[in-house]
Structures are given as C-alpha cells and as structure tokens.
Amino acid sequence: MKRLLRFSVVAALMALPIVTLAATTVTPAKELAPATTHQQTIGTINAWGDSADDVEAFLSKEATLKGATGYTINSERDFDGQIYGTATLYK
C-alpha cells in the first residue's frame, strides 16, 4: 500500500511540469500607433462586420492567432451597412 502511494505521488510530481508548460498563455496582439511600425511585417488580414467594433475585434483576434505581436488597421470602409477593414501584421 505504501509503495502504491509513493508511486502515485512521484507520478503526480513528474506530470506537474508537463501540465504547467501546456497552460502557457498567448499574449494578444495589440494595435500599434502608425509611427511605431519599426517591426517586421508578416502579412495582412481583412474582415467584414456589422460595426467598426466588430471588425476591430476580429482583426485583433486574427492577428493573435497568426502570431503577430502587433498590428495597424489600414482602412475601414462602410459598404451599405457592412464595415470592411484591413490590417497589417507585425512581429
């Protein structure tokens, strides 16, 4: 019984670093001021939405998913009630 308890404790302690590594958080990309784009460009993205806030939220989320550390919104245009936006990604 003691042997089983010791084995369980050792197994749990060995698994702890693996669980800790898997729980690392992703830092969200942030919108950069136009004059601070000294980083390397890694691409562009675009989005459609019902409002400018929807488009900006989607661009931010997509920038983070693509691995960007920052982005700048290049344009937002209204097309018959639908907003279209583009952004440049930086790393």
Side-chain angles (χ1 to χ4, degrees):
M1 186 69 164
K2 288 182 182 181
R3 186 178 273 171
L4 180 61
L5 179 61
R6 286 182 187 159
F7 177 76
S8 297
V9 170
V10 170
L13 290 174
M14 290 176 64
L16 188 60
I18 296 169
V19 172
T20 304
L21 288 175
T24 58
T25 59
V26 175
T27 304
K30 60 183 175 184
E31 187 171 0
L32 302 173
T36 61
T37 57
H38 58 277
Q39 299 175 341
Q40 180 181 358
T41 303
I42 61 169
T44 59
I45 53 175
N46 54 40
W48 285 93
D50 293 327
S51 69
D53 290 337
D54 289 346
V55 172
E56 290 174 15
F58 180 82
L59 292 173
S60 175
K61 180 180 174 185
E62 193 67 21
T64 301
L65 290 174
K66 299 240 184 231
T69 56
Y71 64 96
T72 57
I73 295 177
N74 303 326
S75 66
E76 288 182 330
R77 303 247 194 292
D78 187 344
F79 292 100
D80 295 326
Q82 288 288 305
I83 308 296
Y84 176 77
T86 61
T88 302
L89 305 178
Y90 298 95
K91 190 165 194 170

Coordinates of all heavy atoms in Angstrom, one line a residue:
M1 N 0.8 -1.2 0.0 CA 0.0 0.0 0.0 C 0.9 1.3 0.0 O 0.6 2.2 -0.7 CB -0.9 0.0 1.2 CG -1.9 1.1 1.2 SD -3.1 0.8 -0.1 CE -4.4 1.9 0.4
K2 N 1.9 1.3 0.8 CA 2.8 2.4 0.9 C 3.5 2.6 -0.5 O 3.7 3.7 -0.9 CB 3.8 2.3 2.0 CG 3.3 2.4 3.4 CD 4.4 2.3 4.4 CE 3.8 2.5 5.8 NZ 4.9 2.4 6.8
R3 N 3.9 1.5 -1.1 CA 4.6 1.5 -2.4 C 3.7 2.2 -3.4 O 4.1 3.0 -4.2 CB 5.0 0.1 -2.8 CG 5.8 0.1 -4.0 CD 6.2 -1.3 -4.4 NE 7.5 -1.5 -3.6 CZ 8.1 -2.7 -3.6 NH1 7.5 -3.8 -4.2 NH2 9.2 -2.9 -2.9
L4 N 2.4 1.9 -3.4 CA 1.4 2.4 -4.4 C 1.2 3.9 -4.1 O 1.2 4.7 -5.1 CB 0.1 1.7 -4.3 CG -1.0 2.2 -5.2 CD1 -0.6 2.0 -6.7 CD2 -2.3 1.4 -4.9
L5 N 1.2 4.3 -2.9 CA 1.0 5.7 -2.5 C 2.3 6.5 -3.0 O 2.1 7.6 -3.6 CB 0.8 5.9 -1.0 CG 0.7 7.3 -0.5 CD1 -0.5 8.0 -1.1 CD2 0.6 7.3 1.0
R6 N 3.4 6.0 -2.7 CA 4.7 6.7 -3.2 C 4.7 6.8 -4.7 O 5.1 7.8 -5.2 CB 5.9 5.9 -2.7 CG 6.1 6.1 -1.2 CD 7.4 5.4 -0.8 NE 7.5 5.4 0.7 CZ 8.2 4.6 1.4 NH1 8.9 3.6 0.8 NH2 8.3 4.7 2.7
F7 N 4.4 5.7 -5.4 CA 4.4 5.7 -6.8 C 3.4 6.8 -7.4 O 3.7 7.5 -8.3 CB 4.0 4.4 -7.4 CG 3.9 4.3 -8.9 CD1 5.0 4.4 -9.7 CD2 2.7 4.3 -9.5 CE1 5.0 4.3 -11.1 CE2 2.6 4.3 -10.9 CZ 3.7 4.3 -11.7
S8 N 2.2 6.9 -6.8 CA 1.2 7.9 -7.2 C 1.7 9.3 -7.0 O 1.6 10.2 -7.8 CB -0.1 7.7 -6.4 OG -0.6 6.4 -6.7
V9 N 2.4 9.6 -5.8 CA 2.9 10.9 -5.6 C 4.0 11.2 -6.6 O 4.1 12.3 -7.1 CB 3.4 11.0 -4.1 CG1 4.2 12.3 -3.9 CG2 2.3 10.9 -3.1
V10 N 4.9 10.3 -6.8 CA 6.0 10.5 -7.8 C 5.5 10.8 -9.2 O 5.9 11.7 -9.9 CB 7.0 9.4 -7.8 CG1 8.0 9.5 -8.9 CG2 7.8 9.3 -6.4
A11 N 4.5 10.0 -9.6 CA 3.9 10.2 -10.9 C 3.2 11.5 -11.0 O 3.3 12.2 -12.0 CB 2.9 9.1 -11.2
A12 N 2.5 12.0 -10.0 CA 1.9 13.3 -10.0 C 2.9 14.4 -10.1 O 2.7 15.4 -10.8 CB 1.0 13.4 -8.8
L13 N 4.0 14.3 -9.3 CA 5.0 15.3 -9.3 C 5.7 15.4 -10.7 O 6.1 16.4 -11.1 CB 6.0 15.1 -8.2 CG 5.5 15.4 -6.8 CD1 6.5 15.0 -5.7 CD2 5.1 16.8 -6.7
M14 N 5.9 14.2 -11.3 CA 6.5 14.2 -12.6 C 5.6 14.8 -13.7 O 6.1 15.4 -14.7 CB 6.9 12.8 -13.0 CG 8.0 12.2 -12.2 SD 8.4 10.5 -12.6 CE 8.9 10.6 -14.3
A15 N 4.4 14.7 -13.6 CA 3.4 15.3 -14.6 C 3.2 16.8 -14.4 O 2.8 17.4 -15.3 CB 2.1 14.6 -14.5
L16 N 3.6 17.3 -13.3 CA 3.4 18.7 -13.0 C 4.0 19.7 -14.0 O 3.4 20.6 -14.5 CB 3.8 19.0 -11.6 CG 3.5 20.5 -11.1 CD1 2.0 20.7 -11.1 CD2 4.0 20.7 -9.7
P17 N 5.3 19.5 -14.3 CA 6.0 20.4 -15.3 C 5.3 20.3 -16.7 O 5.2 21.3 -17.4 CB 7.4 19.9 -15.4 CG 7.6 19.1 -14.1 CD 6.3 18.6 -13.7
I18 N 4.8 19.1 -17.1 CA 4.1 19.0 -18.4 C 2.8 19.8 -18.4 O 2.5 20.5 -19.4 CB 3.9 17.5 -18.7 CG1 5.2 16.8 -18.8 CG2 3.0 17.3 -20.0 CD1 5.1 15.3 -18.9
V19 N 2.1 19.7 -17.4 CA 0.8 20.4 -17.3 C 1.1 21.9 -17.2 O 0.4 22.7 -17.8 CB 0.0 20.0 -16.0 CG1 -1.2 20.9 -15.8 CG2 -0.4 18.5 -16.2
T20 N 2.1 22.4 -16.5 CA 2.5 23.8 -16.4 C 2.9 24.3 -17.8 O 2.5 25.4 -18.2 CB 3.7 24.0 -15.5 OG1 3.3 23.4 -14.2 CG2 4.0 25.4 -15.3
L21 N 3.6 23.6 -18.6 CA 4.0 24.0 -19.9 C 2.8 24.1 -20.8 O 2.7 25.0 -21.7 CB 5.0 23.1 -20.5 CG 6.4 23.1 -20.0 CD1 7.3 22.1 -20.6 CD2 7.0 24.5 -20.2
A22 N 1.9 23.2 -20.7 CA 0.7 23.3 -21.6 C -0.2 24.4 -21.2 O -1.1 24.8 -22.1 CB -0.1 21.9 -21.4
A23 N -0.1 25.0 -20.1 CA -1.0 26.1 -19.7 C -0.4 27.5 -19.9 O -0.9 28.4 -19.4 CB -1.3 25.9 -18.2
T24 N 0.6 27.6 -20.8 CA 1.1 28.9 -21.1 C 0.1 29.7 -21.8 O -0.6 29.2 -22.7 CB 2.4 28.8 -21.9 OG1 2.1 28.1 -23.1 CG2 3.5 28.1 -21.1
T25 N 0.1 31.0 -21.6 CA -0.9 31.9 -22.2 C -0.3 32.5 -23.4 O 0.9 32.8 -23.5 CB -1.4 33.0 -21.2 OG1 -0.2 33.7 -20.8 CG2 -2.1 32.4 -20.0
V26 N -1.2 32.9 -24.3 CA -0.8 33.6 -25.6 C -1.1 35.1 -25.3 O -2.1 35.5 -24.9 CB -1.7 33.1 -26.8 CG1 -1.4 33.9 -28.0 CG2 -1.4 31.6 -27.0
T27 N 0.0 35.9 -25.6 CA -0.2 37.3 -25.4 C -0.9 37.9 -26.6 O -0.5 37.6 -27.8 CB 1.2 38.0 -25.3 OG1 1.9 37.4 -24.2 CG2 1.1 39.5 -25.1
P28 N -2.0 38.5 -26.4 CA -2.8 39.1 -27.6 C -2.0 40.2 -28.3 O -1.2 40.9 -27.7 CB -4.0 39.6 -26.9 CG -3.8 39.7 -25.5 CD -2.6 38.8 -25.2
A29 N -2.2 40.2 -29.6 CA -1.6 41.3 -30.4 C -2.2 42.6 -30.0 O -3.4 42.7 -29.7 CB -1.7 41.0 -31.9
K30 N -1.5 43.7 -30.1 CA -2.0 45.0 -29.7 C -1.9 45.9 -30.9 O -1.0 45.8 -31.8 CB -1.3 45.6 -28.5 CG 0.2 45.8 -28.7 CD 0.8 46.3 -27.4 CE 2.3 46.4 -27.7 NZ 3.0 46.8 -26.5
E31 N -2.8 46.8 -31.0 CA -2.8 47.8 -32.1 C -1.7 48.8 -31.9 O -1.5 49.3 -30.8 CB -4.2 48.5 -32.2 CG -4.2 49.4 -33.4 CD -5.6 50.0 -33.6 OE1 -6.5 49.7 -32.9 OE2 -5.8 50.7 -34.6
L32 N -0.9 49.0 -32.9 CA 0.2 49.9 -32.8 C -0.1 51.2 -33.4 O -0.9 51.4 -34.3 CB 1.4 49.3 -33.6 CG 1.9 47.9 -33.2 CD1 3.0 47.4 -34.2 CD2 2.5 48.0 -31.9
A33 N 0.5 52.3 -32.9 CA 0.4 53.6 -33.4 C 1.1 53.6 -34.8 O 2.1 52.9 -35.0 CB 1.0 54.6 -32.5
P34 N 0.6 54.4 -35.7 CA 1.2 54.4 -37.1 C 2.7 54.7 -37.1 O 3.4 54.1 -38.0 CB 0.4 55.5 -37.8 CG -0.9 55.5 -37.1 CD -0.6 55.2 -35.7
A35 N 3.2 55.5 -36.2 CA 4.6 55.8 -36.3 C 5.5 54.8 -35.6 O 6.7 54.9 -35.7 CB 4.8 57.2 -35.6
T36 N 5.0 53.7 -35.0 CA 5.8 52.8 -34.3 C 5.9 51.4 -35.0 O 6.0 50.4 -34.4 CB 5.2 52.5 -32.9 OG1 3.9 52.0 -33.0 CG2 5.2 53.8 -32.0
T37 N 5.8 51.4 -36.3 CA 5.8 50.2 -37.1 C 7.2 49.8 -37.5 O 7.5 49.5 -38.6 CB 4.9 50.3 -38.3 OG1 5.4 51.4 -39.1 CG2 3.5 50.5 -37.9
H38 N 8.2 49.9 -36.6 CA 9.6 49.5 -36.9 C 9.8 48.0 -36.8 O 10.9 47.5 -37.0 CB 10.5 50.2 -35.9 CG 10.2 49.9 -34.4 ND1 9.2 50.5 -33.7 CD2 10.7 48.9 -33.6 CE1 9.2 50.0 -32.5 NE2 10.1 49.0 -32.4
Q39 N 8.7 47.3 -36.6 CA 8.9 45.8 -36.5 C 8.7 45.2 -37.9 O 8.4 45.9 -38.9 CB 7.8 45.2 -35.6 CG 7.8 45.7 -34.2 CD 6.7 45.3 -33.4 OE1 5.6 44.9 -33.9 NE2 6.8 45.3 -32.1
Q40 N 9.0 43.9 -38.1 CA 8.9 43.3 -39.4 C 7.5 43.0 -39.7 O 6.7 42.4 -38.9 CB 9.7 42.0 -39.3 CG 9.7 41.2 -40.6 CD 10.5 39.9 -40.6 OE1 11.1 39.6 -39.5 NE2 10.5 39.2 -41.6
T41 N 7.1 43.3 -41.0 CA 5.8 43.0 -41.5 C 5.7 41.5 -41.7 O 6.6 40.9 -42.4 CB 5.5 43.7 -42.8 OG1 5.7 45.1 -42.5 CG2 4.1 43.5 -43.3
I42 N 4.6 40.8 -41.3 CA 4.5 39.4 -41.5 C 3.2 39.1 -42.3 O 2.9 37.9 -42.6 CB 4.5 38.6 -40.2 CG1 3.3 39.0 -39.3 CG2 5.8 38.7 -39.5 CD1 3.1 38.0 -38.1
G43 N 2.5 40.1 -42.7 CA 1.3 39.8 -43.6 C 0.2 40.8 -43.4 O 0.3 41.8 -42.6
T44 N -0.9 40.6 -44.1 CA -2.1 41.4 -43.9 C -3.3 40.6 -43.7 O -3.3 39.4 -44.1 CB -2.3 42.3 -45.2 OG1 -2.5 41.5 -46.3 CG2 -1.2 43.3 -45.4
I45 N -4.3 41.1 -43.1 CA -5.6 40.4 -42.9 C -6.7 41.4 -43.2 O -6.5 42.6 -43.2 CB -5.7 39.8 -41.5 CG1 -5.5 40.9 -40.4 CG2 -4.8 38.7 -41.3 CD1 -5.7 40.5 -39.0
N46 N -7.9 40.8 -43.4 CA -9.1 41.7 -43.7 C -10.3 41.0 -43.0 O -10.3 39.8 -42.7 CB -9.3 41.9 -45.1 CG -9.4 40.6 -45.9 OD1 -10.0 39.7 -45.5 ND2 -8.8 40.6 -47.1
A47 N -11.3 41.8 -42.8 CA -12.5 41.3 -42.1 C -13.7 42.2 -42.5 O -13.6 43.4 -42.8 CB -12.3 41.4 -40.6
W48 N -14.9 41.5 -42.4 CA -16.2 42.2 -42.6 C -16.9 42.1 -41.3 O -16.8 41.2 -40.5 CB -17.1 41.4 -43.6 CG -16.6 41.7 -45.1 CD1 -15.8 40.9 -45.8 CD2 -17.0 42.7 -45.9 NE1 -15.6 41.4 -47.0 CE2 -16.4 42.6 -47.1 CE3 -17.9 43.8 -45.7 CZ2 -16.6 43.4 -48.2 CZ3 -18.0 44.7 -46.8 CH2 -17.4 44.5 -48.0
G49 N -17.8 43.1 -41.0 CA -18.6 43.1 -39.8 C -19.7 44.1 -39.8 O -19.8 44.9 -40.8
D50 N -20.6 44.0 -38.8 CA -21.7 44.9 -38.8 C -21.4 46.3 -38.2 O -22.1 47.3 -38.4 CB -22.8 44.3 -37.9 CG -23.4 43.0 -38.5 OD1 -23.5 43.0 -39.7 OD2 -23.8 42.1 -37.7
S51 N -20.2 46.4 -37.5 CA -19.8 47.7 -37.0 C -18.3 47.7 -36.9 O -17.6 46.7 -37.1 CB -20.3 47.8 -35.5 OG -19.7 46.9 -34.6
A52 N -17.8 48.9 -36.8 CA -16.3 49.1 -36.7 C -15.7 48.3 -35.5 O -14.6 47.7 -35.6 CB -15.9 50.5 -36.6
D53 N -16.5 48.3 -34.4 CA -16.0 47.5 -33.2 C -15.9 46.0 -33.5 O -15.0 45.3 -33.1 CB -16.9 47.7 -32.0 CG -16.9 49.1 -31.5 OD1 -15.8 49.8 -31.7 OD2 -17.8 49.5 -30.8
D54 N -16.9 45.5 -34.3 CA -16.8 44.1 -34.7 C -15.6 43.8 -35.5 O -14.9 42.8 -35.3 CB -18.0 43.7 -35.5 CG -19.3 43.6 -34.7 OD1 -19.2 43.6 -33.4 OD2 -20.4 43.5 -35.3
V55 N -15.3 44.6 -36.5 CA -14.2 44.5 -37.4 C -12.9 44.6 -36.6 O -12.0 43.7 -36.7 CB -14.2 45.5 -38.5 CG1 -12.9 45.5 -39.3 CG2 -15.4 45.3 -39.4
E56 N -12.7 45.5 -35.7 CA -11.5 45.7 -34.9 C -11.3 44.5 -34.0 O -10.2 44.0 -33.8 CB -11.6 47.0 -34.1 CG -11.5 48.2 -35.0 CD -11.7 49.5 -34.3 OE1 -11.6 49.5 -33.0 OE2 -11.9 50.5 -34.9
A57 N -12.4 44.0 -33.4 CA -12.2 42.8 -32.5 C -11.8 41.6 -33.3 O -10.9 40.8 -32.9 CB -13.6 42.5 -31.8
F58 N -12.3 41.4 -34.5 CA -11.9 40.3 -35.3 C -10.5 40.4 -35.8 O -9.7 39.4 -35.7 CB -12.9 40.1 -36.5 CG -12.5 39.0 -37.4 CD1 -12.9 37.7 -37.1 CD2 -11.7 39.1 -38.5 CE1 -12.5 36.6 -37.9 CE2 -11.3 38.1 -39.3 CZ -11.7 36.8 -39.0
L59 N -10.1 41.6 -36.2 CA -8.7 41.8 -36.6 C -7.7 41.6 -35.5 O -6.7 40.9 -35.7 CB -8.5 43.2 -37.2 CG -9.3 43.5 -38.5 CD1 -9.1 45.0 -38.8 CD2 -8.7 42.7 -39.6
S60 N -8.1 42.0 -34.3 CA -7.2 41.7 -33.1 C -7.1 40.2 -32.9 O -6.0 39.7 -32.6 CB -7.8 42.4 -31.9 OG -7.0 42.1 -30.8
K61 N -8.2 39.5 -32.9 CA -8.2 38.1 -32.6 C -7.4 37.4 -33.7 O -6.6 36.5 -33.4 CB -9.6 37.6 -32.6 CG -9.7 36.1 -32.3 CD -11.2 35.7 -32.2 CE -11.3 34.2 -32.1 NZ -12.7 33.7 -32.2
E62 N -7.6 37.7 -34.9 CA -6.9 37.1 -36.1 C -5.4 37.3 -36.0 O -4.6 36.5 -36.3 CB -7.6 37.5 -37.4 CG -7.2 36.7 -38.6 CD -7.7 35.3 -38.5 OE1 -8.7 35.0 -37.8 OE2 -7.1 34.4 -39.2
A63 N -5.1 38.6 -35.7 CA -3.6 38.9 -35.5 C -3.0 38.0 -34.5 O -1.8 37.5 -34.7 CB -3.5 40.4 -35.2
T64 N -3.6 37.8 -33.4 CA -3.1 37.0 -32.3 C -2.9 35.6 -32.8 O -1.9 34.9 -32.6 CB -4.0 37.1 -31.1 OG1 -4.0 38.4 -30.6 CG2 -3.4 36.2 -30.0
L65 N -4.0 35.0 -33.5 CA -3.9 33.7 -34.0 C -2.8 33.5 -35.0 O -2.2 32.4 -35.1 CB -5.3 33.3 -34.6 CG -6.4 33.1 -33.6 CD1 -7.7 32.9 -34.4 CD2 -6.1 32.0 -32.7
K66 N -2.5 34.5 -35.8 CA -1.4 34.4 -36.8 C 0.0 34.6 -36.2 O 1.0 34.6 -36.9 CB -1.7 35.4 -37.9 CG -3.0 35.2 -38.6 CD -2.7 35.0 -40.1 CE -4.1 34.9 -40.8 NZ -4.2 33.7 -41.5
G67 N 0.1 34.9 -34.9 CA 1.3 35.0 -34.2 C 1.9 36.4 -34.2 O 3.1 36.6 -33.9
A68 N 1.1 37.4 -34.6 CA 1.6 38.8 -34.6 C 1.7 39.3 -33.2 O 0.9 39.0 -32.3 CB 0.7 39.7 -35.4
T69 N 2.7 40.2 -33.0 CA 2.8 40.9 -31.7 C 2.1 42.2 -31.7 O 1.8 42.8 -30.7 CB 4.3 41.1 -31.3 OG1 4.9 41.8 -32.3 CG2 5.0 39.8 -31.0
G70 N 1.8 42.7 -32.9 CA 1.2 44.0 -33.1 C 0.5 44.1 -34.5 O 0.9 43.3 -35.4
Y71 N -0.3 45.0 -34.7 CA -1.0 45.3 -36.0 C -1.4 46.7 -36.1 O -1.5 47.4 -35.1 CB -2.2 44.4 -36.2 CG -3.3 44.6 -35.2 CD1 -4.4 45.4 -35.5 CD2 -3.3 44.1 -33.9 CE1 -5.4 45.7 -34.6 CE2 -4.3 44.3 -33.0 CZ -5.4 45.1 -33.4 OH -6.4 45.4 -32.5
T72 N -1.5 47.2 -37.3 CA -2.1 48.5 -37.6 C -3.3 48.3 -38.5 O -3.2 47.6 -39.5 CB -1.1 49.5 -38.2 OG1 -0.6 48.9 -39.4 CG2 0.1 49.8 -37.3
I73 N -4.3 49.0 -38.2 CA -5.5 49.0 -39.1 C -5.3 50.0 -40.2 O -5.1 51.2 -39.9 CB -6.8 49.3 -38.3 CG1 -7.0 48.2 -37.3 CG2 -8.0 49.4 -39.2 CD1 -8.2 48.4 -36.4
N74 N -5.3 49.5 -41.4 CA -5.0 50.4 -42.6 C -6.2 51.1 -43.0 O -6.2 52.3 -43.4 CB -4.5 49.5 -43.8 CG -3.3 48.7 -43.4 OD1 -2.4 49.2 -42.6 ND2 -3.1 47.5 -43.9
S75 N -7.4 50.4 -43.1 CA -8.6 51.1 -43.5 C -9.8 50.4 -43.0 O -9.8 49.2 -42.7 CB -8.7 51.1 -45.1 OG -8.8 49.8 -45.5
E76 N -10.9 51.2 -42.9 CA -12.2 50.7 -42.5 C -13.2 51.5 -43.4 O -13.2 52.7 -43.4 CB -12.6 50.9 -41.1 CG -11.8 50.0 -40.1 CD -12.2 50.2 -38.7 OE1 -12.6 51.3 -38.3 OE2 -12.1 49.2 -37.9
R77 N -14.0 50.7 -44.2 CA -14.9 51.4 -45.1 C -16.3 50.8 -44.9 O -16.5 49.6 -44.6 CB -14.5 51.1 -46.5 CG -13.1 51.5 -46.9 CD -13.1 52.7 -47.9 NE -11.9 53.0 -48.5 CZ -10.8 53.5 -48.0 NH1 -10.8 53.7 -46.7 NH2 -9.8 53.8 -48.6
D78 N -17.3 51.6 -45.1 CA -18.7 51.2 -45.0 C -19.3 51.0 -46.3 O -19.3 51.8 -47.2 CB -19.5 52.4 -44.3 CG -20.9 52.0 -44.0 OD1 -21.4 50.9 -44.5 OD2 -21.5 52.7 -43.1
F79 N -19.8 49.7 -46.6 CA -20.4 49.3 -47.8 C -21.8 48.9 -47.5 O -22.1 47.8 -47.1 CB -19.6 48.2 -48.5 CG -18.3 48.5 -49.0 CD1 -17.2 48.2 -48.2 CD2 -18.1 49.2 -50.2 CE1 -15.9 48.6 -48.7 CE2 -16.9 49.5 -50.6 CZ -15.7 49.2 -49.9
D80 N -22.8 49.8 -47.6 CA -24.2 49.6 -47.4 C -24.5 48.9 -46.1 O -25.1 47.9 -46.0 CB -24.7 48.7 -48.6 CG -24.7 49.4 -49.9 OD1 -24.9 50.6 -49.9 OD2 -24.5 48.7 -50.9
G81 N -23.9 49.5 -45.0 CA -24.1 49.0 -43.7 C -23.2 47.9 -43.2 O -23.2 47.5 -42.0
Q82 N -22.3 47.4 -44.1 CA -21.3 46.4 -43.7 C -20.0 47.1 -43.7 O -19.7 47.8 -44.6 CB -21.3 45.2 -44.7 CG -22.5 44.3 -44.6 CD -22.4 43.5 -43.3 OE1 -21.4 42.8 -43.1 NE2 -23.5 43.5 -42.5
I83 N -19.2 46.9 -42.6 CA -17.9 47.5 -42.5 C -16.8 46.5 -43.0 O -16.9 45.3 -42.6 CB -17.6 47.9 -41.0 CG1 -18.8 48.8 -40.5 CG2 -16.3 48.6 -40.9 CD1 -18.9 50.1 -41.2
Y84 N -15.9 47.0 -43.8 CA -14.8 46.2 -44.3 C -13.5 46.8 -43.7 O -13.3 48.1 -43.9 CB -14.8 46.2 -45.8 CG -13.6 45.4 -46.4 CD1 -13.5 44.1 -46.4 CD2 -12.5 46.1 -46.9 CE1 -12.5 43.4 -46.9 CE2 -11.5 45.5 -47.5 CZ -11.4 44.1 -47.5 OH -10.4 43.5 -48.0
G85 N -12.6 46.0 -43.1 CA -11.4 46.6 -42.6 C -10.2 45.7 -43.0 O -10.3 44.5 -43.2
T86 N -9.0 46.4 -43.1 CA -7.8 45.7 -43.4 C -6.8 46.1 -42.4 O -6.8 47.2 -41.8 CB -7.2 46.0 -44.8 OG1 -6.9 47.4 -44.9 CG2 -8.2 45.6 -45.9
A87 N -5.8 45.2 -42.1 CA -4.8 45.5 -41.1 C -3.5 44.8 -41.6 O -3.5 43.8 -42.2 CB -5.1 44.9 -39.7
T88 N -2.3 45.4 -41.2 CA -1.0 44.9 -41.4 C -0.5 44.3 -40.1 O -0.6 44.9 -39.1 CB -0.1 46.0 -41.9 OG1 -0.6 46.6 -43.1 CG2 1.3 45.4 -42.2
L89 N 0.1 43.1 -40.2 CA 0.6 42.4 -39.0 C 2.1 42.6 -38.9 O 2.8 42.6 -39.9 CB 0.3 40.9 -39.1 CG -1.2 40.5 -39.4 CD1 -1.3 39.0 -39.5 CD2 -2.1 41.0 -38.3
Y90 N 2.5 42.7 -37.6 CA 3.9 42.9 -37.3 C 4.4 41.9 -36.3 O 3.6 41.5 -35.4 CB 4.2 44.3 -36.8 CG 3.9 45.4 -37.8 CD1 2.6 46.0 -37.8 CD2 4.8 45.7 -38.8 CE1 2.3 47.0 -38.8 CE2 4.5 46.7 -39.8 CZ 3.2 47.3 -39.7 OH 2.9 48.3 -40.7
K91 N 5.7 41.6 -36.4 CA 6.3 40.7 -35.4 C 7.7 41.2 -35.0 O 8.4 41.7 -35.8 CB 6.4 39.3 -35.9 CG 6.7 38.3 -34.8 CD 6.5 36.9 -35.3 CE 6.5 35.9 -34.1 NZ 6.1 34.7 -34.4

